[in-house]
Amino acid sequence: MRMTFGLLGPLTVAVDSVPQALPRATVLRGLLGALLLAEGERLPAGRLLELVWAGQADRIGRGAVHTGVSRLRAWLGQFGDEAVALESDPQGYRLATGADAVDLGRFRGLAADGDLAGALGLRRGPVLAGLERVNREDPLVTSVEGAVRATALSLARAALAAAAPRTALPAVTALAQEHPFDEPVHAALLELLAADGRAAEALRRFQSLRRRLSEELGIEPGEQVQNVFLDLLAQDRDGTRPDLGRSRVPSQLPRDLPDFTGRDDQVRLVLDVLAAGRVPVIAGMGGIGKTALAVRTAHRAAADYPDGRLYADLRGADESPADPARVLAAFLRALGADPREIPDSLDERSALYRTLLADRRMLVLLDNAAGEQQITPLLPGTPAHPTDLPADHPAEHPDVRSSVLVTSRAALTALPGARLVDLHELDADHARTLLRRILGDHRVAAEPVAAAQIAELCGGMPLAVRIAGARLAARPRWALARLADLLRDERRRLDELAAGDLAVRTGFAVGYARLSEPTRRTFRLLGLLDAPDFAPWAAAAMAGVPMEEAQRQLEELIDAQLLQETGTEPHLRYRFHDLVRLYAREHAEAADRPAERAAALEGAFGAWLRLAEQAADQVPGPCFAPIHGDAPRHPLPSALTAGLLDDPMAWFDAEQPALNASARQAAALRMVPVAWDLAACLEKYCDVRGLYDDWRSTHLAVLQACRAAGDVRGTAVLTRGLIEVTTWTTPADGTQTMVALQDRARQLQRLFEEVREPRGTADALVLTAWSLVAQGREQEALHTARRALDLATVHDHPGGRARAHQIIAIAYGESDLGRTIEHLTETLRLARLIGNTRFEATAIQFLGAAHGRAGEVERGCELLTRSLAMARSLDDRYVEAFSLLYLATLYSATGDDRARPTAEAALVIARRFDMGHHLAQALGILGELDLTAGHHSSAVSYLEESVLVWRARGWRSFLTGALRALGRAYAAAGLPESAARVLDEARELSDLPLAGPGAGPGDALTCGS
């Protein structure tokens, strides 16, 4: 059997040319389409989430991808084509198919061989038309659509050259219908129709396109379509229309870039500002694309200015900007003035210029302006807007006015009527699209990963992307990966971003040369930071200057377009473009001594640490003993500190990316004490916000530095945090998590004993007790937890006492609910004593679960509802999921219809944040509900996944319960052999000896530490 697939239109699957029904599940169809689009390339799970679960990826965990792929693999396997294989490994998923099995591959082959018509003949409509579960904005989709579009336009050009328009008309007509606003495609269609003798139809299509663009986008057709229209008029032989020809008016605009990419919102904004009679000022750093945007917009607006378009490069970035008197002389000549009659003085030239423009409707593009003083003489004298005209203005010219469009590195907000259009870097998709338009679809499609890396390393700066594209275009034999490797070296990146007379570094040098010397120094030092952004106090700490001076210097850097402002008052922050940061580092290494650079970094890290330490004390989270090191703290004014930490969670929200980056950077620079202390200060915040990936990855990076430096205290503190995050929130790594916890906790205990930190030892003993409970060894768990309680009591560690009482309660579980509730009540008292609202919510939910198990359903629901409200007020997803799970359990036991939606809400959170324990419990509850309702197939699906997760968790009695439920589901679904198999395994597990008071009594209450 041979399977074939169709992507160029609706998704199709055929076996030996016989069409097959697609999978019923939309997710499976989406996964199949996405994997086929990748053309044999491997797609990571996160990439598949973006492709198939667009708009939901932040709520859906990677477990959903694994489940979907497993189901798709089974569906494909039923057809028996050995050439079709859905492969997976830790790096992602790949769908292998037979040779020429996918129409997209055949399309590319025919196009590469020059058979453009044959390639387009394979197309049945838009790529994966009608497929709901594929993100159509993803580069995998847009690159294929782009390849089809480019092929159609190439076919149109070839057909026109061969005087055979009908060979291209069907393909281009179909494409134009699917893309009603794609002007190059419509221009090609108009030319083909005219060449086929159908000029009247072409003119009707032009009018329809013009009306559509005006009504839906508020714009006129661009220059390319307008030119085709004028040619059509000239060719019209019916005698009813005059030959308009070309008006002899100034048309000085530079050529529009054919590969102009993105900026749609900015184009619309500039057009709106022009239409309102104001002066758009497009501002931004060098190389960001100001001129390209201005030229594109000017061409779009050209039809609104029939009397001409003037252009001048004012060279504002040069050492000698253009003299406005000389610019005026050139404008006057373009307007028809006799060169011999042009006045000598600037004022007289400006007056004559305003006179000549008074009755004309013209657009003046003033590019690269230095400042307001340079621009003022070049402004038209006509009213800015028709409503500004005097009452006696001639009625036959009610809307005569000229407009001005300005670009500048400075904001120029003092210019009368100015409206700032602040330009920033391209987003990742548009940067890749620009590179593709420079190099061509085939070359980029051959190396999509390298192309994305180049766009990223260029920081989305259009000039940098153009230079990279120009270098590759000049070296057709180079692999894109080669340039990506060169750019990856930060020390060489700016050198590599130079081609001909274009260089990224040149644009930065202009701004740097104009800075005062103190600001140059601050610029250089700030460039040393890896932090993605920073607050003014961090700049002051790094430069060693007062806050007022730091803020003045930051404003100077913004004016020079060397720094960008983010946020709003009173939470302004500042960020460098990646390439500007490299430029600043170059100068720092050349101008500042190593000791001075190190001191600056120590000042910034010390300021972050001082604030993070104080903020962490006010954040509710794990009740670990706060253990710090001796890294220097940078003092800040007490009033400033109080204001910053008025809301500690809000402070962490703003600073968390910078804190993570600073901890990693300090570790890389072997500034180990400040590195581990910064990382540890983030633990409680990351726990509450559910930022488990950041927590885990930063701890791993800094822990490696601690071990290399022999810093045992830092190693112990970070190991404790890593155990917490990897035990309760990390997807399975092949080990039984709760079993592995015992060894990890005992290693942690030895580390804390080595540095003589008994409070840390108490924390380690509590972690060991959790592992023992999970293994069914409750007596050992009780003994270990009481040792932890004694240590915490002697060494004044109330958080450790609270945690010890909690695990003691869980070890007793249902075997002695009286003692369980007694210890949980003490846990709650201690949580309130230390003011830890997060642990207070945890204690309340455990109490709620215990009261529910004791038959006090109303009391249990009341407590769990209270803990749920507290969790949501803290935005704490982990505690929220626990409360939802045990509310669902109580609802299920009492036949309450709220059981299912409550469990489903917990499942969404568990998948999104990779909470293995919660995930397994939620799946189990939903499986049991479906089993009771008679939905046997879905019950089996839920319970199979629950068993898989419990195996990875290594929680013995939970696994036993899940196996029993799955056995009942198999039996109900008519699968007796499967039922016998899992029930036998459950009996084997339950027959193993268990220490302590009963078999797994804490299971009903367990959720995490």
Side-chain angles (χ1 to χ4, degrees), residues 403-433:
S403 297
V404 178
L405 173 56
V406 178
T407 77
S408 176
R409 296 193 181 200
L412 305 185
T413 50
L415 195 68
R419 168 66 189 276
L420 181 64
V421 180
D422 208 2
L423 210 56
H424 297 290
E425 56 267 30
L426 295 171
D427 62 32
D429 287 345
H430 284 128
R432 288 194 297 269
T433 300

PDB file of all heavy atoms in Angstrom, residues 403-433:
ATOM      1  N   SER A 403       1.264  68.663   2.161  1.00  0.00           N
ATOM      2  CA  SER A 403       1.569  67.957   3.407  1.00  0.00           C
ATOM      3  C   SER A 403       3.058  67.682   3.505  1.00  0.00           C
ATOM      4  O   SER A 403       3.771  67.638   2.493  1.00  0.00           O
ATOM      5  CB  SER A 403       0.798  66.629   3.466  1.00  0.00           C
ATOM      6  OG  SER A 403      -0.584  66.854   3.471  1.00  0.00           O
ATOM      7  N   VAL A 404       3.517  67.484   4.739  1.00  0.00           N
ATOM      8  CA  VAL A 404       4.927  67.217   5.006  1.00  0.00           C
ATOM      9  C   VAL A 404       5.043  65.925   5.785  1.00  0.00           C
ATOM     10  O   VAL A 404       4.253  65.660   6.699  1.00  0.00           O
ATOM     11  CB  VAL A 404       5.569  68.369   5.802  1.00  0.00           C
ATOM     12  CG1 VAL A 404       7.031  68.063   6.111  1.00  0.00           C
ATOM     13  CG2 VAL A 404       5.469  69.668   5.031  1.00  0.00           C
ATOM     14  N   LEU A 405       6.015  65.113   5.406  1.00  0.00           N
ATOM     15  CA  LEU A 405       6.334  63.859   6.091  1.00  0.00           C
ATOM     16  C   LEU A 405       7.807  63.922   6.460  1.00  0.00           C
ATOM     17  O   LEU A 405       8.653  64.198   5.605  1.00  0.00           O
ATOM     18  CB  LEU A 405       6.043  62.678   5.175  1.00  0.00           C
ATOM     19  CG  LEU A 405       6.445  61.267   5.612  1.00  0.00           C
ATOM     20  CD1 LEU A 405       5.839  60.923   6.957  1.00  0.00           C
ATOM     21  CD2 LEU A 405       6.013  60.250   4.564  1.00  0.00           C
ATOM     22  N   VAL A 406       8.133  63.662   7.750  1.00  0.00           N
ATOM     23  CA  VAL A 406       9.489  63.859   8.258  1.00  0.00           C
ATOM     24  C   VAL A 406      10.013  62.554   8.858  1.00  0.00           C
ATOM     25  O   VAL A 406       9.262  61.818   9.499  1.00  0.00           O
ATOM     26  CB  VAL A 406       9.514  64.969   9.337  1.00  0.00           C
ATOM     27  CG1 VAL A 406      10.918  65.152   9.902  1.00  0.00           C
ATOM     28  CG2 VAL A 406       9.002  66.281   8.762  1.00  0.00           C
ATOM     29  N   THR A 407      11.297  62.276   8.644  1.00  0.00           N
ATOM     30  CA  THR A 407      11.969  61.223   9.405  1.00  0.00           C
ATOM     31  C   THR A 407      13.149  61.839  10.132  1.00  0.00           C
ATOM     32  O   THR A 407      13.775  62.777   9.634  1.00  0.00           O
ATOM     33  CB  THR A 407      12.476  60.072   8.501  1.00  0.00           C
ATOM     34  OG1 THR A 407      13.674  60.479   7.838  1.00  0.00           O
ATOM     35  CG2 THR A 407      11.428  59.641   7.506  1.00  0.00           C
ATOM     36  N   SER A 408      13.426  61.304  11.316  1.00  0.00           N
ATOM     37  CA  SER A 408      14.512  61.858  12.116  1.00  0.00           C
ATOM     38  C   SER A 408      14.864  60.893  13.239  1.00  0.00           C
ATOM     39  O   SER A 408      14.019  60.101  13.667  1.00  0.00           O
ATOM     40  CB  SER A 408      14.115  63.208  12.719  1.00  0.00           C
ATOM     41  OG  SER A 408      15.126  63.713  13.568  1.00  0.00           O
ATOM     42  N   ARG A 409      16.094  60.964  13.701  1.00  0.00           N
ATOM     43  CA  ARG A 409      16.442  60.201  14.897  1.00  0.00           C
ATOM     44  C   ARG A 409      15.872  60.849  16.151  1.00  0.00           C
ATOM     45  O   ARG A 409      15.705  60.184  17.173  1.00  0.00           O
ATOM     46  CB  ARG A 409      17.959  60.095  15.022  1.00  0.00           C
ATOM     47  CG  ARG A 409      18.575  59.313  13.882  1.00  0.00           C
ATOM     48  CD  ARG A 409      20.000  58.951  14.170  1.00  0.00           C
ATOM     49  NE  ARG A 409      20.580  58.210  13.057  1.00  0.00           N
ATOM     50  CZ  ARG A 409      21.643  57.441  13.139  1.00  0.00           C
ATOM     51  NH1 ARG A 409      22.263  57.310  14.288  1.00  0.00           N
ATOM     52  NH2 ARG A 409      22.110  56.810  12.086  1.00  0.00           N
ATOM     53  N   ALA A 410      15.613  62.139  16.084  1.00  0.00           N
ATOM     54  CA  ALA A 410      15.044  62.863  17.215  1.00  0.00           C
ATOM     55  C   ALA A 410      13.524  62.879  17.106  1.00  0.00           C
ATOM     56  O   ALA A 410      12.964  62.751  16.008  1.00  0.00           O
ATOM     57  CB  ALA A 410      15.584  64.289  17.253  1.00  0.00           C
ATOM     58  N   ALA A 411      12.856  63.056  18.231  1.00  0.00           N
ATOM     59  CA  ALA A 411      11.400  63.010  18.241  1.00  0.00           C
ATOM     60  C   ALA A 411      10.769  64.235  17.575  1.00  0.00           C
ATOM     61  O   ALA A 411       9.689  64.146  16.997  1.00  0.00           O
ATOM     62  CB  ALA A 411      10.896  62.886  19.679  1.00  0.00           C
ATOM     63  N   LEU A 412      11.409  65.413  17.656  1.00  0.00           N
ATOM     64  CA  LEU A 412      10.933  66.646  17.008  1.00  0.00           C
ATOM     65  C   LEU A 412       9.496  66.985  17.387  1.00  0.00           C
ATOM     66  O   LEU A 412       8.709  67.455  16.556  1.00  0.00           O
ATOM     67  CB  LEU A 412      11.049  66.536  15.476  1.00  0.00           C
ATOM     68  CG  LEU A 412      12.426  66.189  14.902  1.00  0.00           C
ATOM     69  CD1 LEU A 412      12.395  66.245  13.379  1.00  0.00           C
ATOM     70  CD2 LEU A 412      13.497  67.105  15.440  1.00  0.00           C
ATOM     71  N   THR A 413       9.142  66.732  18.626  1.00  0.00           N
ATOM     72  CA  THR A 413       7.757  66.980  19.046  1.00  0.00           C
ATOM     73  C   THR A 413       7.433  68.469  19.148  1.00  0.00           C
ATOM     74  O   THR A 413       6.263  68.832  19.248  1.00  0.00           O
ATOM     75  CB  THR A 413       7.494  66.309  20.405  1.00  0.00           C
ATOM     76  OG1 THR A 413       8.532  66.684  21.326  1.00  0.00           O
ATOM     77  CG2 THR A 413       7.480  64.807  20.254  1.00  0.00           C
ATOM     78  N   ALA A 414       8.466  69.350  19.122  1.00  0.00           N
ATOM     79  CA  ALA A 414       8.208  70.794  19.165  1.00  0.00           C
ATOM     80  C   ALA A 414       7.783  71.336  17.813  1.00  0.00           C
ATOM     81  O   ALA A 414       7.382  72.497  17.705  1.00  0.00           O
ATOM     82  CB  ALA A 414       9.459  71.538  19.652  1.00  0.00           C
ATOM     83  N   LEU A 415       7.862  70.528  16.770  1.00  0.00           N
ATOM     84  CA  LEU A 415       7.456  70.956  15.433  1.00  0.00           C
ATOM     85  C   LEU A 415       5.946  71.177  15.414  1.00  0.00           C
ATOM     86  O   LEU A 415       5.186  70.316  15.847  1.00  0.00           O
ATOM     87  CB  LEU A 415       7.844  69.880  14.417  1.00  0.00           C
ATOM     88  CG  LEU A 415       7.837  70.277  12.952  1.00  0.00           C
ATOM     89  CD1 LEU A 415       8.951  71.268  12.669  1.00  0.00           C
ATOM     90  CD2 LEU A 415       8.017  69.038  12.080  1.00  0.00           C
ATOM     91  N   PRO A 416       5.472  72.332  14.925  1.00  0.00           N
ATOM     92  CA  PRO A 416       4.016  72.587  14.920  1.00  0.00           C
ATOM     93  C   PRO A 416       3.259  71.498  14.169  1.00  0.00           C
ATOM     94  O   PRO A 416       3.616  71.146  13.043  1.00  0.00           O
ATOM     95  CB  PRO A 416       3.909  73.944  14.195  1.00  0.00           C
ATOM     96  CG  PRO A 416       5.242  74.586  14.382  1.00  0.00           C
ATOM     97  CD  PRO A 416       6.247  73.475  14.397  1.00  0.00           C
ATOM     98  N   GLY A 417       2.227  70.962  14.811  1.00  0.00           N
ATOM     99  CA  GLY A 417       1.391  69.954  14.174  1.00  0.00           C
ATOM    100  C   GLY A 417       2.005  68.576  14.111  1.00  0.00           C
ATOM    101  O   GLY A 417       1.460  67.681  13.451  1.00  0.00           O
ATOM    102  N   ALA A 418       3.140  68.362  14.799  1.00  0.00           N
ATOM    103  CA  ALA A 418       3.831  67.073  14.692  1.00  0.00           C
ATOM    104  C   ALA A 418       3.070  65.979  15.410  1.00  0.00           C
ATOM    105  O   ALA A 418       2.470  66.198  16.462  1.00  0.00           O
ATOM    106  CB  ALA A 418       5.238  67.190  15.256  1.00  0.00           C
ATOM    107  N   ARG A 419       3.102  64.784  14.816  1.00  0.00           N
ATOM    108  CA  ARG A 419       2.577  63.578  15.462  1.00  0.00           C
ATOM    109  C   ARG A 419       3.682  62.522  15.376  1.00  0.00           C
ATOM    110  O   ARG A 419       4.065  62.103  14.285  1.00  0.00           O
ATOM    111  CB  ARG A 419       1.320  63.092  14.765  1.00  0.00           C
ATOM    112  CG  ARG A 419       0.874  61.680  15.183  1.00  0.00           C
ATOM    113  CD  ARG A 419       0.432  61.618  16.639  1.00  0.00           C
ATOM    114  NE  ARG A 419       0.227  60.251  17.074  1.00  0.00           N
ATOM    115  CZ  ARG A 419      -0.903  59.554  16.887  1.00  0.00           C
ATOM    116  NH1 ARG A 419      -1.931  60.107  16.250  1.00  0.00           N
ATOM    117  NH2 ARG A 419      -1.007  58.321  17.319  1.00  0.00           N
ATOM    118  N   LEU A 420       4.193  62.102  16.540  1.00  0.00           N
ATOM    119  CA  LEU A 420       5.317  61.172  16.588  1.00  0.00           C
ATOM    120  C   LEU A 420       4.872  59.762  16.189  1.00  0.00           C
ATOM    121  O   LEU A 420       3.885  59.243  16.685  1.00  0.00           O
ATOM    122  CB  LEU A 420       5.928  61.157  17.994  1.00  0.00           C
ATOM    123  CG  LEU A 420       7.143  60.252  18.199  1.00  0.00           C
ATOM    124  CD1 LEU A 420       8.317  60.728  17.355  1.00  0.00           C
ATOM    125  CD2 LEU A 420       7.541  60.231  19.676  1.00  0.00           C
ATOM    126  N   VAL A 421       5.649  59.139  15.302  1.00  0.00           N
ATOM    127  CA  VAL A 421       5.483  57.731  14.950  1.00  0.00           C
ATOM    128  C   VAL A 421       6.792  57.043  15.326  1.00  0.00           C
ATOM    129  O   VAL A 421       7.768  57.091  14.582  1.00  0.00           O
ATOM    130  CB  VAL A 421       5.178  57.551  13.448  1.00  0.00           C
ATOM    131  CG1 VAL A 421       5.012  56.069  13.117  1.00  0.00           C
ATOM    132  CG2 VAL A 421       3.937  58.338  13.048  1.00  0.00           C
ATOM    133  N   ASP A 422       6.813  56.456  16.509  1.00  0.00           N
ATOM    134  CA  ASP A 422       8.049  55.877  17.046  1.00  0.00           C
ATOM    135  C   ASP A 422       8.245  54.482  16.466  1.00  0.00           C
ATOM    136  O   ASP A 422       7.391  53.618  16.609  1.00  0.00           O
ATOM    137  CB  ASP A 422       7.950  55.809  18.572  1.00  0.00           C
ATOM    138  CG  ASP A 422       9.315  55.876  19.233  1.00  0.00           C
ATOM    139  OD1 ASP A 422      10.306  56.009  18.504  1.00  0.00           O
ATOM    140  OD2 ASP A 422       9.380  55.786  20.471  1.00  0.00           O
ATOM    141  N   LEU A 423       9.374  54.245  15.829  1.00  0.00           N
ATOM    142  CA  LEU A 423       9.604  52.997  15.109  1.00  0.00           C
ATOM    143  C   LEU A 423      10.550  52.099  15.891  1.00  0.00           C
ATOM    144  O   LEU A 423      11.593  52.546  16.374  1.00  0.00           O
ATOM    145  CB  LEU A 423      10.202  53.313  13.733  1.00  0.00           C
ATOM    146  CG  LEU A 423       9.881  52.343  12.590  1.00  0.00           C
ATOM    147  CD1 LEU A 423       8.388  52.189  12.415  1.00  0.00           C
ATOM    148  CD2 LEU A 423      10.518  52.831  11.301  1.00  0.00           C
ATOM    149  N   HIS A 424      10.182  50.832  15.996  1.00  0.00           N
ATOM    150  CA  HIS A 424      11.016  49.845  16.678  1.00  0.00           C
ATOM    151  C   HIS A 424      11.316  48.684  15.741  1.00  0.00           C
ATOM    152  O   HIS A 424      10.904  48.672  14.582  1.00  0.00           O
ATOM    153  CB  HIS A 424      10.335  49.362  17.962  1.00  0.00           C
ATOM    154  CG  HIS A 424      10.136  50.454  18.969  1.00  0.00           C
ATOM    155  ND1 HIS A 424      11.186  51.031  19.643  1.00  0.00           N
ATOM    156  CD2 HIS A 424       9.015  51.104  19.390  1.00  0.00           C
ATOM    157  CE1 HIS A 424      10.725  51.971  20.454  1.00  0.00           C
ATOM    158  NE2 HIS A 424       9.417  52.034  20.320  1.00  0.00           N
ATOM    159  N   GLU A 425      12.033  47.682  16.247  1.00  0.00           N
ATOM    160  CA  GLU A 425      12.475  46.579  15.414  1.00  0.00           C
ATOM    161  C   GLU A 425      11.288  45.750  14.911  1.00  0.00           C
ATOM    162  O   GLU A 425      10.212  45.771  15.481  1.00  0.00           O
ATOM    163  CB  GLU A 425      13.458  45.680  16.168  1.00  0.00           C
ATOM    164  CG  GLU A 425      12.942  45.139  17.470  1.00  0.00           C
ATOM    165  CD  GLU A 425      13.301  46.003  18.675  1.00  0.00           C
ATOM    166  OE1 GLU A 425      13.431  47.236  18.516  1.00  0.00           O
ATOM    167  OE2 GLU A 425      13.444  45.435  19.772  1.00  0.00           O
ATOM    168  N   LEU A 426      11.533  44.998  13.829  1.00  0.00           N
ATOM    169  CA  LEU A 426      10.531  44.095  13.288  1.00  0.00           C
ATOM    170  C   LEU A 426      10.349  42.908  14.228  1.00  0.00           C
ATOM    171  O   LEU A 426      11.304  42.490  14.897  1.00  0.00           O
ATOM    172  CB  LEU A 426      10.969  43.563  11.919  1.00  0.00           C
ATOM    173  CG  LEU A 426      11.098  44.571  10.782  1.00  0.00           C
ATOM    174  CD1 LEU A 426      11.753  43.892   9.579  1.00  0.00           C
ATOM    175  CD2 LEU A 426       9.747  45.143  10.393  1.00  0.00           C
ATOM    176  N   ASP A 427       9.145  42.359  14.266  1.00  0.00           N
ATOM    177  CA  ASP A 427       8.972  41.136  15.044  1.00  0.00           C
ATOM    178  C   ASP A 427       9.632  39.974  14.293  1.00  0.00           C
ATOM    179  O   ASP A 427      10.066  40.108  13.145  1.00  0.00           O
ATOM    180  CB  ASP A 427       7.495  40.857  15.335  1.00  0.00           C
ATOM    181  CG  ASP A 427       6.661  40.640  14.090  1.00  0.00           C
ATOM    182  OD1 ASP A 427       7.176  40.107  13.087  1.00  0.00           O
ATOM    183  OD2 ASP A 427       5.461  40.987  14.111  1.00  0.00           O
ATOM    184  N   ALA A 428       9.705  38.824  14.950  1.00  0.00           N
ATOM    185  CA  ALA A 428      10.456  37.698  14.399  1.00  0.00           C
ATOM    186  C   ALA A 428       9.898  37.247  13.047  1.00  0.00           C
ATOM    187  O   ALA A 428      10.664  36.968  12.109  1.00  0.00           O
ATOM    188  CB  ALA A 428      10.456  36.535  15.391  1.00  0.00           C
ATOM    189  N   ASP A 429       8.572  37.186  12.927  1.00  0.00           N
ATOM    190  CA  ASP A 429       7.976  36.717  11.671  1.00  0.00           C
ATOM    191  C   ASP A 429       8.295  37.655  10.523  1.00  0.00           C
ATOM    192  O   ASP A 429       8.654  37.221   9.415  1.00  0.00           O
ATOM    193  CB  ASP A 429       6.456  36.586  11.827  1.00  0.00           C
ATOM    194  CG  ASP A 429       6.060  35.394  12.682  1.00  0.00           C
ATOM    195  OD1 ASP A 429       6.929  34.520  12.900  1.00  0.00           O
ATOM    196  OD2 ASP A 429       4.915  35.336  13.132  1.00  0.00           O
ATOM    197  N   HIS A 430       8.182  38.967  10.757  1.00  0.00           N
ATOM    198  CA  HIS A 430       8.449  39.916   9.679  1.00  0.00           C
ATOM    199  C   HIS A 430       9.934  39.974   9.343  1.00  0.00           C
ATOM    200  O   HIS A 430      10.297  40.179   8.172  1.00  0.00           O
ATOM    201  CB  HIS A 430       7.940  41.300  10.072  1.00  0.00           C
ATOM    202  CG  HIS A 430       6.454  41.436   9.963  1.00  0.00           C
ATOM    203  ND1 HIS A 430       5.658  41.903  10.986  1.00  0.00           N
ATOM    204  CD2 HIS A 430       5.601  41.137   8.957  1.00  0.00           C
ATOM    205  CE1 HIS A 430       4.403  41.906  10.614  1.00  0.00           C
ATOM    206  NE2 HIS A 430       4.333  41.441   9.385  1.00  0.00           N
ATOM    207  N   ALA A 431      10.795  39.777  10.337  1.00  0.00           N
ATOM    208  CA  ALA A 431      12.236  39.753  10.049  1.00  0.00           C
ATOM    209  C   ALA A 431      12.575  38.561   9.157  1.00  0.00           C
ATOM    210  O   ALA A 431      13.366  38.677   8.199  1.00  0.00           O
ATOM    211  CB  ALA A 431      13.033  39.693  11.350  1.00  0.00           C
ATOM    212  N   ARG A 432      11.979  37.411   9.446  1.00  0.00           N
ATOM    213  CA  ARG A 432      12.210  36.234   8.588  1.00  0.00           C
ATOM    214  C   ARG A 432      11.631  36.455   7.193  1.00  0.00           C
ATOM    215  O   ARG A 432      12.228  36.058   6.184  1.00  0.00           O
ATOM    216  CB  ARG A 432      11.580  34.982   9.227  1.00  0.00           C
ATOM    217  CG  ARG A 432      12.310  34.472  10.449  1.00  0.00           C
ATOM    218  CD  ARG A 432      11.836  33.069  10.816  1.00  0.00           C
ATOM    219  NE  ARG A 432      10.435  33.029  11.180  1.00  0.00           N
ATOM    220  CZ  ARG A 432       9.976  33.167  12.418  1.00  0.00           C
ATOM    221  NH1 ARG A 432      10.828  33.342  13.413  1.00  0.00           N
ATOM    222  NH2 ARG A 432       8.681  33.113  12.678  1.00  0.00           N
ATOM    223  N   THR A 433      10.475  37.097   7.134  1.00  0.00           N
ATOM    224  CA  THR A 433       9.872  37.368   5.830  1.00  0.00           C
ATOM    225  C   THR A 433      10.747  38.291   5.000  1.00  0.00           C
ATOM    226  O   THR A 433      10.917  38.091   3.786  1.00  0.00           O
ATOM    227  CB  THR A 433       8.476  37.990   6.018  1.00  0.00           C
ATOM    228  OG1 THR A 433       7.650  37.086   6.747  1.00  0.00           O
ATOM    229  CG2 THR A 433       7.822  38.287   4.670  1.00  0.00           C
TER     230      THR A 433
END
